[in-house]
């Protein structure tokens, strides 16, 4: 019998459940003055989430400054601008409030509030210099209002260098949130199409983590549970956003998928998508993953057939004898969520872009290719793009 060898390190105090946001008023905070990082959109103010957080912080003896420029695909210049504000205002912790882009940005801002130079000095891949973040990072509090990235339970942050079309992940022990509050009641305002995109991002974190070469018995538990919950509840959350049972289970699945990212890893599907949204930043990350997914997973189905059949069984509850059962269940799930007809061309992508996407993915997020179940050639990845193109 093969022995299991694995590490688990998730040092985040996680508060989960409806109404848990209220605990921000009583939970021990990592500082007295927060930089609250939110998106450039209107939802955090429109639905009262920002005011609620500021009020709860005040009850807990903390003040706040707000940075509100974060884009759906966050960029390096905003990280640097917000870090400067953080230092100027002498904030001693950072709160990411909103979707994965805001929480990811909060992590990167927390790093640059404690380290000199440019954010890209510390990035591995692309033109990054790969220097150590010897200054550590300010403590981060994550308050997600979407269910997708699981960034509340992992150290990862993805930022784009907008001048170089480099979209690269980064993270270390200091970028884990010290406190994460996951309250599904904050997620009911997410529109149906974004609920679907975000939910599938969580799904692919789990599925990629399950087939990754570094999957462990611990990550497998998180992954299969996340996959099962999303297959069962995401279509309902998309069609009936006020259904709290569905919202809560999708939120749980997203957090579990973040734990997968802390104990296993994404594979090259994420590298392929990062290349797409590096050039076309209006493309939602989850939408890009959805468009690639059927061709991508088909390419690996016969490589680790047992893993694919196990994922299919987690989804459908039925015995699987064919690894393609997973791909068929995935296609069914996408249809049920109304995202089976997404087209790259709707975001301006052309077939001429596809070869440079392969090159960009290799150059900037090449490490994930090494975690695939088997190494594929650039020609094969180009074929995955072509098969996905519409």
């Amino acid at each position: 019998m093969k022995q299991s060898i694995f590490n688990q390190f998730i040092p985040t105090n996680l508060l989960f459940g409806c109404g848990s946001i209220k605990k921000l008023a009583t939970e021990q905070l990592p500082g007295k003055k927060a930089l609250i990082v939110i998106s450039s959109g209107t939802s955090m103010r429109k639905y009262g989430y920002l005011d609620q957080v500021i009020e709860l912080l005040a009850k807990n003896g903390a003040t706040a400054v707000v940075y509100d420029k974060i884009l759906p695909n966050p960029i390096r210049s905003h990280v640097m601008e917000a870090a400067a504000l953080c230092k100027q205002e002498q904030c001693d912790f950072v709160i990411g409030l909103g979707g994965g882009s805001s929480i990811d940005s909060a992590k990167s801002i927390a790093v640059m509030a404690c380290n000199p130079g440019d954010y890209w000095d510390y990035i591995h891949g692309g033109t990054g210099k790969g220097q150590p973040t010897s200054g550590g990072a300010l403590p981060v509090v994550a308050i997600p209002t979407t269910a997708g990235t699981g960034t509340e339970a992992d150290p990862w942050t993805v930022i784009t260098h907008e001048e170089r079309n480099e979209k690269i992940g980064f993270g270390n022990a200091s970028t884990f949130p010290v406190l994460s509050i996951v309250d599904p009641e904050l997620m009911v305002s997410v529109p149906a199409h974004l609920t679907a995109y975000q939910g599938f991002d969580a799904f692919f974190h789990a599925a990629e983590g399950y087939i990754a070469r570094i999957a462990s018995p611990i990550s497998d538990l998180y992954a299969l549970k996340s996959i099962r919950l999303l297959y069962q509840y995401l279509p309902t959350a998309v069609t009936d956003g006020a259904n709290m049972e569905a919202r809560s289970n999708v939120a749980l699945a997203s957090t579990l998928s973040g734990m997968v990212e802390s104990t296993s890893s994404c594979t090259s599907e994420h590298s392929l998508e990062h290349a797409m949204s590096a050039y076309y930043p209006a493309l939602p990350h989850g939408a890009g993953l959805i468009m690639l997914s059927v061709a991508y997973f088909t390419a690996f189905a016969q490589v680790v057939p047992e893993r694919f059949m196990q994922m299919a069984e987690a989804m459908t509850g039925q015995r699987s004898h064919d690894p393609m059962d997973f791909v068929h269940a995935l296609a069914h799930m996408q249809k049920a969520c109304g995202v089976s007809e997404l087209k790259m061309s709707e975001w301006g992508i052309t077939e001429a872009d596809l070869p440079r996407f392969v090159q960009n993915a290799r150059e900037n997020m090449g490490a994930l290719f090494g975690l695939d179940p088997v190494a594929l050639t650039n020609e094969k990845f180009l074929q995955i793009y072509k098969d996905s193109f519409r």
Side-chain angles (χ1 to χ4, degrees):
M1 179 178 176
K2 183 180 178 182
Q3 287 187 324
S4 297
I5 300 174
F6 61 89
N7 297 335
Q8 172 161 325
F9 179 68
I10 308 177
T12 301
N13 179 17
L14 176 68
L15 309 179
F16 184 96
C18 292
S20 59
I21 187 62
K22 296 173 185 175
K23 296 179 182 177
L24 188 61
T26 55
E27 199 70 21
Q28 182 175 350
L29 299 175
K32 290 294 184 182
K33 187 173 184 180
L35 178 73
I36 302 177
V37 180
I38 63 174
S39 76
S40 59
T42 61
S43 59
M44 292 306 102
R45 290 187 171 93
K46 177 180 177 181
Y47 296 107
Y49 302 150
L50 177 61
D51 287 345
Q52 185 179 12
V53 166
I54 292 173
E55 180 182 337
L56 292 167
L57 287 173
K59 289 181 179 178
N60 209 343
T63 59
V65 177
V66 178
Y67 183 83
D68 62 358
K69 298 183 182 179
I70 302 303
L71 301 175
N73 281 300
I75 58 177
R76 180 200 61 89
S77 59
H78 286 164
V79 168
M80 295 304 301
E81 183 178 69
L85 175 65
C86 189
K87 289 186 279 190
Q88 175 189 317
E89 294 289 337
Q90 297 183 312
C91 297
D92 53 5
F93 70 111
V94 185
I95 296 177
L97 173 64
S101 58
S102 296
I103 299 172
D104 280 15
S105 297
K107 295 176 182 179
S108 299
I109 292 161
V111 168
M112 292 315 300
C114 297
N115 291 277
D118 185 83
Y119 181 66
W120 234 244
D121 293 342
Y122 306 101
I123 295 300
H124 296 265
T127 59
K129 297 180 180 178
Q131 296 176 2
T133 53
S134 54
L138 290 180
V140 174
V141 174
I143 306 175
T145 62
T146 66
T149 66
T151 189
E152 66 271 10
D154 69 42
W156 307 116
T157 165
V158 178
I159 303 295
T160 299
H161 193 308
E162 64 274 28
E163 297 165 4
R164 301 174 186 169
N165 302 117
E166 295 177 351
K167 183 178 180 182
I168 302 178
F170 171 83
N172 54 42
S174 66
T175 52
F176 273 101
V178 299
L179 172 65
S180 290
I181 302 176
V182 183
D183 187 337
E185 290 181 351
L186 303 182
M187 303 174 184
V188 295
S189 58
V190 180
H193 70 290
L194 294 180
T195 297
Y197 298 165
Q198 294 154 6
F200 273 102
D201 187 17
F203 183 90
F204 296 128
H205 286 164
E208 291 173 47
Y210 195 68
I211 67 171
R213 292 165 62 102
I214 59 170
S216 76
I218 297 296
S219 66
D220 286 352
L221 293 172
Y222 297 143
L224 290 177
K225 180 68 171 180
S226 179
I227 288 168
R228 182 181 303 116
L229 288 173
L230 287 164
Y231 185 80
Q232 184 174 356
Y233 289 102
L234 183 59
T236 302
V238 170
T239 57
D240 180 11
N243 185 312
M244 288 311 303
E245 180 185 13
R247 285 287 187 190
S248 294
N249 279 292
V250 170
L252 175 57
S254 179
T255 297
L256 290 171
S257 75
M259 294 178 179
V260 175
E261 291 307 289
S262 293
T263 52
S264 180
S265 177
C266 287
T267 59
S268 62
E269 185 190 19
H270 266 67
S271 304
L272 299 179
E273 196 295 314
H274 284 181
M276 294 163 62
S277 49
Y279 286 103
Y280 294 90
L283 172 66
H285 175 57
L289 291 171
I290 290 167
M291 289 185 280
L292 292 169
S293 61
V294 169
Y296 180 85
F297 282 98
T298 298
F300 291 103
Q302 303 302 330
V303 176
V304 281
E306 299 85 0
R307 295 247 132 190
F308 274 69
M309 289 187 283
Q310 288 157 3
M311 289 192 292
E313 289 172 3
M315 294 168 79
T316 66
Q318 299 175 356
R319 186 74 174 166
S320 172
H321 300 284
D322 182 349
M324 284 300 291
D325 288 344
F326 169 77
V327 178
H328 299 323
L330 172 60
H332 171 79
M333 181 180 170
Q334 291 176 353
K335 188 171 184 179
C337 291
V339 294
S340 58
E341 300 300 322
L342 296 180
K343 297 179 175 64
M344 292 186 192
S345 55
E346 292 177 355
W347 278 274
I349 296 172
T350 68
E351 284 196 81
D353 286 314
L354 305 183
R356 69 171 177 170
F357 287 167
V358 176
Q359 181 180 358
N360 183 290
R362 288 281 193 186
E363 291 177 352
N364 296 306
M365 291 287 289
L368 295 187
F369 288 87
L371 302 180
D372 286 342
V374 68
L376 299 182
T377 64
N378 282 359
E379 289 73 23
K380 182 59 180 176
F381 284 113
L382 179 59
Q383 191 60 51
I384 289 172
Y385 275 127
K386 288 181 177 179
D387 290 345
S388 305
F389 183 81
R390 283 197 289 243

